[in-house]
Amino acid sequence: MENLNVCGMFTHLCCSDSRHPEDIAFTKGQIDNFYRMTGALRDSGIILPKLHIQSSYGLLNYPDLACDYVRVGIALYGVLSSPDEDTLLKPDLRPVFSLKSRVVLIREVAAGESVGYGRSFMAGCDTRIAILPIGYGDGFPRNLSDGKGSVLINQYVVPVVGRICMDQLAVDITDTEGISVGDIATLAGAEGYDDELSVPAVADHSGSISNELLCRMGTRLPVIAR
């Protein structure tokens, strides 16, 4: 028998994350086509390399496929791509990632004063503002500016105010107590705050998916393993 001299043979299921009937039918068609092709090669005397079809959602929604490998991606981070997704398998995924910074500055902003580029935040009353040294240059989406994003500091979930800069952002801590310079701020992946600050929720608030949000995190961010 002839050996097909390649490292592996695979296909990618383009809508395996969807449980809509039409997408399930399309995905099953992709799977059938792949097995039909590999079966024909095998019947012609060719020794096949390792086969793989499933990504994270291929495994979660089509777990019974007969393959050699699974290309687990987003599930390695212990999250799904979007909040409230339904999958056939429901493993106990646990997040392994959180995005954190620290408060480096606290300032009192008088009513009528502005914060940030474009003066998009105008203080309606005397306001306490905390500055975090992290921004869109570090992968935190700029479109979470002006109250679309939130941050956890101590036990308080506080809104982002003004426009997120390349290297820093501002949050409103007026209604909090005890927040000081040096306190840790969690921007994504806060345990116990899944509805607001999980990676899928933060990504969804920015109009994207967990996969993109995680890919944004670059070498400017130090990695702390625990």
Side-chain angles (χ1 to χ4, degrees), residues 55-75:
S55 60
S56 292
Y57 283 97
L59 173 63
L60 294 174
N61 285 325
Y62 301 89
D64 297 327
L65 300 184
C67 294
D68 298 291
Y69 303 128
V70 173
R71 305 185 304 270
V72 178
I74 192 63

Side-chain angles (χ1 to χ4, degrees), residues 43-61:
D43 291 343
S44 68
I46 293 175
I47 299 174
L48 296 180
K50 300 294 186 180
L51 303 179
H52 47 110
I53 297 177
Q54 297 143 300
S55 60
S56 292
Y57 283 97
L59 173 63
L60 294 174
N61 285 325

Side-chain angles (χ1 to χ4, degrees), residues 62-144:
Y62 301 89
D64 297 327
L65 300 184
C67 294
D68 298 291
Y69 303 128
V70 173
R71 305 185 304 270
V72 178
I74 192 63
L76 285 176
Y77 289 89
V79 298
L80 298 177
S81 294
S82 301
D84 304 320
E85 283 188 313
D86 183 36
T87 55
L88 184 63
L89 291 186
K90 295 175 173 57
D92 183 20
L93 295 178
R94 301 181 184 184
V96 298
F97 165 91
S98 58
L99 177 64
K100 297 184 178 183
S101 185
R102 288 186 184 271
V103 176
V104 293
L105 185 69
I106 295 176
R107 285 290 185 266
E108 303 289 337
V109 176
E113 292 185 348
S114 61
V115 174
Y117 284 116
R119 306 178 69 220
S120 62
F121 174 77
M122 303 288 291
C125 60
D126 292 347
T127 304
R128 292 178 70 232
I129 296 295
I131 302 298
L132 311 180
I134 188 170
Y136 62 77
D138 304 290
F140 195 67
R142 186 174 181 269
N143 58 0
L144 292 178

